Amino acid sequence: MGDSLATFRTGRDHPPVITCREPGSFARGVMAERHPALIGQVREAFPYGPRQQRALDTLLHEILHGVVEPLGPGSPDREVWLARGREHFGHPWFDAPFLWAESYFYRRLLEAVGYFDEGPWQGIDPFAPFKRAELRGGTVEEELRVLDDLAGVPTAERATALLQASLWGNRADLGFRGPTGEATPGEADPGLVADDSAALWSLLAPGPPATVAVVADNTGRELIPDLVLIDHLLRHGHADQVVLHVKPGPYYVSDATTADVVDCVRRLCGAPGEAGTIGGRVWEAMGTGRLDVRTHALFCAPFPYERMPDDLREDLGAAALTILKGDLNYRRLVGDRLWPATTPFADLTAYFPGAVAALRTLKSDVVVGLDPQALEGLERSGRAWRTSGTHALIQVRARPGGAALSTPPRAG
């Protein structure tokens, strides 16, 4: 974010950008352990040829022992990435900002497997086997059956349950759990560290025709409850149209692309009972434009949302509310820095072009907008509450440049 603007908003200097330098830090663990493991899992998921195997070996060695190298001369976006981070090339991966390094890692992984090259591997999503395995799994089947139980409950109660399902669906992150699907460590804490759900529903109150934007995070067990919630918003007059923003290409293992949306809608349509009924409505909504799937290059760029270009700013600004799902979107919304956790959410999101809500389980160090007493209780707990995915939040800032409607729970 722009230094002078953020300093004005918070009344303090910028805290440091998060890097992977600090031994024992969450960011370093991602770069030193999770990313190398992912390279191995992608290698095992496809019968890649010698060229792809060598490129994966090179990327692994570069991360652990070398320096950041630019994309190859034939890469279509080589100059774009040189402009995005020229100062990081030639230096260790661990010295780069965490947000930039993560984003560039996934771009380099796509390069290694030939995703953008003319040839047999062009356009083959290296994460597709993991995504499809999750969709076919028994857990998804069990979760879809629960919709039958919700079909007869009062509308307000159902709405609350669907919002919670969308929120906690963010726990089902293949990048966080690993593509092999090991369980998220720790049990979820049902008490949200900040809960603006009442403010969110007030912004979604039925009224004049309005568009709601949803910026998706993960596919599979997160996107399905997102689609179910979207169906509820359309069916009950909370939105006349929903615009679902997804990634333009594979990113962060399970991040949703248009192909993933289609797979999830088909999974719903093929299910019995209430899930299949919802799937049919979602399919029809896409066909009529009431559910409009869009994407933008910024969603795969290593920047905070404050740097969004004018076309995306205009698009999101036209929505009555933009709902940002997940941890990465949250980091990009407030800035991937070591903010004091009590920094006002409204201060850091005042630039956003319309009302904005964040639905997120905590899987990285960044968190803002917490009540001091609640924060004290969390810190005393001795749990890795910031990074374990066991805690979650719903935060809302109602108007551009206006106050958040945050009501963090107080400790004790």
Side-chain angles (χ1 to χ4, degrees):
M1 290 187 281
D3 285 352
S4 60
L5 188 57
T7 300
F8 171 77
R9 288 175 185 153
T10 62
R12 58 176 68 87
D13 292 334
H14 261 75
V17 171
I18 296 174
T19 71
C20 307
R21 256 187 236 112
E22 188 67 29
S25 67
F26 175 79
R28 189 175 184 90
V30 170
M31 188 59 63
E33 299 169 14
R34 191 181 300 176
H35 286 174
L38 178 58
I39 290 172
Q41 289 158 343
V42 167
R43 183 199 303 272
E44 293 171 4
F46 288 93
Y48 287 124
R51 179 181 174 185
Q52 286 78 26
Q53 299 277 1
R54 286 193 298 270
L56 290 170
D57 287 339
T58 297
L59 178 59
L60 177 60
H61 184 272
E62 180 185 313
I63 290 171
L64 296 178
H65 308 292
V67 297
V68 181
E69 300 289 351
L71 294 169
S75 298
D77 52 351
R78 173 184 165 89
E79 294 304 317
V80 171
W81 275 98
L82 284 174
R84 284 174 174 171
R86 192 178 300 273
E87 67 273 23
H88 307 310
F89 296 109
H91 299 281
W93 280 80
F94 297 92
D95 289 347
F98 184 35
L99 181 63
W100 188 93
E102 274 197 296
S103 190
Y104 189 58
F105 164 77
Y106 284 101
R107 177 60 186 87
R108 287 288 305 279
L109 185 61
L110 293 179
E111 179 187 49
V113 300
Y115 181 85
F116 292 105
D117 297 342
E118 290 187 10
W121 295 104
Q122 186 176 43
I124 302 298
D125 183 349
F127 313 126
F130 316 131
K131 298 173 181 177
R132 290 170 183 162
E134 183 184 58
L135 271 183
R136 292 193 298 263
T139 303
V140 168
E141 188 172 336
E142 292 172 14
E143 291 170 346
L144 292 179
R145 280 200 295 265
V146 173
L147 293 172
D148 292 334
D149 300 328
L150 287 176
V153 305
T155 302
E157 183 180 337
R158 178 182 171 88
T160 298
L162 295 182
L163 180 64
Q164 288 288 320
S166 177
L167 170 64
W168 285 107
N170 183 238
R171 236 168 97 88
D173 178 347
L174 292 176
F176 182 67
R177 295 182 292 131
T180 54
E182 61 266 23
T184 302
E187 292 298 320
D189 188 327
L192 304 187
V193 301
D195 185 3
D196 291 347
S197 54
L200 186 147
W201 286 117
S202 72
L203 291 170
L204 293 172
T211 296
V212 172
V214 177
V215 182
D217 189 25
N218 302 300
T219 186
R221 290 179 58 210
E222 180 173 2
L223 185 58
I224 284 178
D226 290 347
L227 291 170
V228 174
L229 177 62
I230 287 169
D231 170 69
H232 182 90
L233 298 181
L234 291 171
R235 189 179 180 207
H236 293 278
H238 299 285
D240 184 60
Q241 181 192 47
V242 174
V243 177
L244 178 63
H245 295 269
V246 297
K247 302 297 190 300
Y251 196 59
Y252 279 65
V253 188
S254 57
D255 280 26
T257 66
T258 303
D260 298 321
V261 174
V262 174
D263 285 345
C264 288
V265 175
R266 284 177 173 154
R267 181 67 179 86
L268 279 168
C269 288
E274 181 69 6
T277 301
I278 292 171
R281 288 198 298 261
V282 171
W283 187 286
E284 181 181 2
M286 292 179 70
T288 61
R290 293 193 73 208
L291 174 53
D292 186 11
V293 180
R294 299 179 192 171
T295 190
H296 195 284
L298 183 78
F299 296 134
C300 287
F303 302 133
Y305 282 123
E306 191 161 22
R307 293 181 61 176
M308 72 176 77
D310 290 343
D311 59 340
L312 183 59
R313 180 176 296 275
E314 181 178 353
D315 197 353
L316 297 179
L321 174 67
T322 296
I323 300 172
L324 293 170
K325 289 296 309 292
D327 199 79
L328 176 60
N329 278 324
Y330 188 85
R331 291 163 57 195
R332 300 177 74 191
L333 177 66
V334 304
D336 203 35
R337 296 175 178 269
L338 294 172
W339 299 108
T342 55
T343 305
F345 179 73
D347 285 359
L348 299 182
T349 59
Y351 70 89
F352 204 84
V356 62
L359 273 63
R360 170 228 186 182
T361 57
L362 278 61
K363 293 177 284 190
S364 66
D365 289 311
V366 179
V367 65
V368 299
L370 301 193
D371 175 85
Q373 292 185 32
L375 175 62
E376 184 180 352
L378 289 164
E379 296 288 18
R380 283 201 312 263
S381 71
R383 303 174 68 184
W385 60 274
R386 289 174 180 258
T387 59
S388 63
T390 56
H391 292 69
L393 60 77
I394 299 174
Q395 289 176 319
V396 173
R397 197 228 58 226
R399 295 169 298 279
L405 301 177
S406 199
T407 52
R410 300 182 70 83

